[in-house]
Amino acid sequence: MKETHIQTIGEAVAEYRNSVKTAVVCGGQRLSYQELWERSERIARNLIREGLEKGDRVILDMERSADCVCMFLGLARAGGIAVYIHRGWPEKQRVYVIESCRPRRIVNDETARALMQEKSFPGNEAAALPEVRGEDPFQIVYTSGSTGRPKGTVLAHRTAVNDRLPSQVGQTGAEHGARRLVDHDFSFVASTIFLLHGLFCEKTLVIPTGEELLNAERLAALIEREDVTEVFWMSSRFLRLLSEPAMAAAVRRFRMFVFAGEKTPKGLLAAARKYMPEAELFNVYAMSELMVVGVYLLGPENENLFAGSNEGIGLHLLDERGEPVAGGETGELCVSGPPARLGYYWAEPEETERRYTLHPVLGRIFHTGDMAVAEKGGFRMKGRVDQMAKLRGMRIDLGAVEKAMLAQAEIRAAVALITGEGERQILCAYYTRDPEADHTAPGAFE
């Protein structure tokens, strides 16, 4: 991908619009880059003919499929903003996301297929595509939470195409026709990162169906059948899948493995070298608010050490007053640069004001909430400034869990925490009952 002039997702993928190379594989469907481009073109123009305006939000309530990728690209080219709905979300969260983002429309699998068709409109309007700029949003990702209210993070085109992942990781394996497994749910920013960076480098995206995701043997068979060479997994998922003989054999074909989303557990590097001797291992520091902050080769010398940021992104260790901490001291890791400028979806201004602030010297910065200390070669994480934790890549607000428990009249005190190591980590909550409460009343907490 030529990065000098490209500012939008459409411009990045347009470089391969005439390519007959396979772009997407899912189930029994295979699309070339040319077919992907043509279908996304029809989607974009049909959306505009049907009233979509630049900046409109569109809910994508779709199964994992090649059609979903077409819909995502077409919406981005039309200047719309995608909001994926996770099929596993509870109804309360689905309703909240739909109501808070105020979508122009909701697209399911049937309506997406209809949008890919050539349509006749009165006057046969050309439905010219709008001018999409780098600073324009293309997606709102609702952060995973526990009992707390999810936050809608706004992602801009420029943030996606200017990430350094395409040049540092994206080109890895290009010489042998890299085929990339995209198995995160589309509502996660990890899926957006890996999917887009694959398209930007003309790689083949292999998307497992829902049934293949739930069965390790079927997933391993897909990896073998499609000759998958690249994957983006959390370390706990990798170690858990290795217990399946079929998967332990399948991962040997990987040539690039990207870890992200959680602390590197003991034994990860040894297991990776044993089962994937030819793979390059990368670690990515990323988050829903900023996409990719940094990426680096993973080795014994920098295990659990964040080895620096991408070009154009500043990392700063600041104290509570916003002043740089002295050498060897712990501070909050804050990020400056273009990714820190958008904030959360405008329905939640108070949260944006808390996490995105204007620094007198650095300009607009994002407070990651991660505490760190500077060491030779990078930053070592030292916990959080709040009660946010991660479990298998999912954000969990421990304070929100405790608040929900304390809302029960029968509970006097509560504490929530993550216990265990690696794949054995679990969420635990402890409480004491109020001795004066009526524990026999109907609906009493049990």
Side-chain angles (χ1 to χ4, degrees), residues 157-195:
H157 283 259
R158 183 180 293 128
T159 303
V161 301
N162 286 354
D163 278 342
R164 295 297 293 172
L165 190 56
S167 56
Q168 287 183 260
V169 177
Q171 297 297 343
T172 300
E175 71 280 359
H176 53 71
R179 301 170 70 82
R180 175 170 291 192
L181 187 73
V182 182
D183 61 342
H184 292 84
D185 189 89
F186 286 172
S187 64
F188 290 178
V189 74
S191 180
T192 301
I193 293 169
F194 216 46
L195 184 150

Side-chain angles (χ1 to χ4, degrees), residues 14 26 29 83 106 138 186 196 206 212 224 251 257 266 348 356 366 390 428:
C26 185
Q29 195 172 16
V83 184
I106 298 176
F138 71 92
F186 286 172
L196 287 178
V206 179
E212 288 167 333
E224 296 272 7
V251 300
F257 202 116
K266 293 180 180 179
E348 302 182 50
Y356 297 81
F366 174 72
K390 275 198 172 184
C428 287

Side-chain angles (χ1 to χ4, degrees), residues 238-239 242 251 266-277 281:
F238 168 64
L239 293 174
L242 284 182
V251 300
K266 293 180 180 179
L268 175 68
L269 285 176
R273 289 302 175 208
K274 176 182 178 181
Y275 291 96
M276 303 180 297
L281 308 179

Side-chain angles (χ1 to χ4, degrees), residues 299-351:
E301 72 284 354
N302 60 13
E303 193 172 4
N304 284 319
L305 189 70
F306 174 37
S309 64
N310 294 338
E311 183 178 339
I313 296 178
L315 293 178
H316 317 275
L317 288 181
L318 305 179
D319 62 20
E320 294 179 352
R321 299 169 299 172
E323 298 289 336
V325 300
E329 292 188 0
T330 299
E332 182 182 10
L333 193 60
C334 297
V335 179
S336 63
R341 293 174 186 163
L342 278 180
Y344 294 114
Y345 181 58
W346 43 91
E348 302 182 50
E350 69 285 350
E351 191 65 17

Side-chain angles (χ1 to χ4, degrees), residues 192-214:
T192 301
I193 293 169
F194 216 46
L195 184 150
L196 287 178
H197 293 158
L199 292 179
F200 295 164
C201 298
E202 201 182 5
K203 299 191 178 189
T204 297
L205 306 180
V206 179
I207 303 175
T209 63
E211 292 78 10
E212 288 167 333
L213 275 180
L214 296 175

Side-chain angles (χ1 to χ4, degrees), residues 44-45 48 52-55 76-80 127-133:
R45 297 192 185 279
I48 292 170
L52 184 79
E53 297 181 358
K54 184 178 174 181
R77 295 179 62 193
L129 301 184
E131 179 185 1
V132 180
R133 299 173 298 177

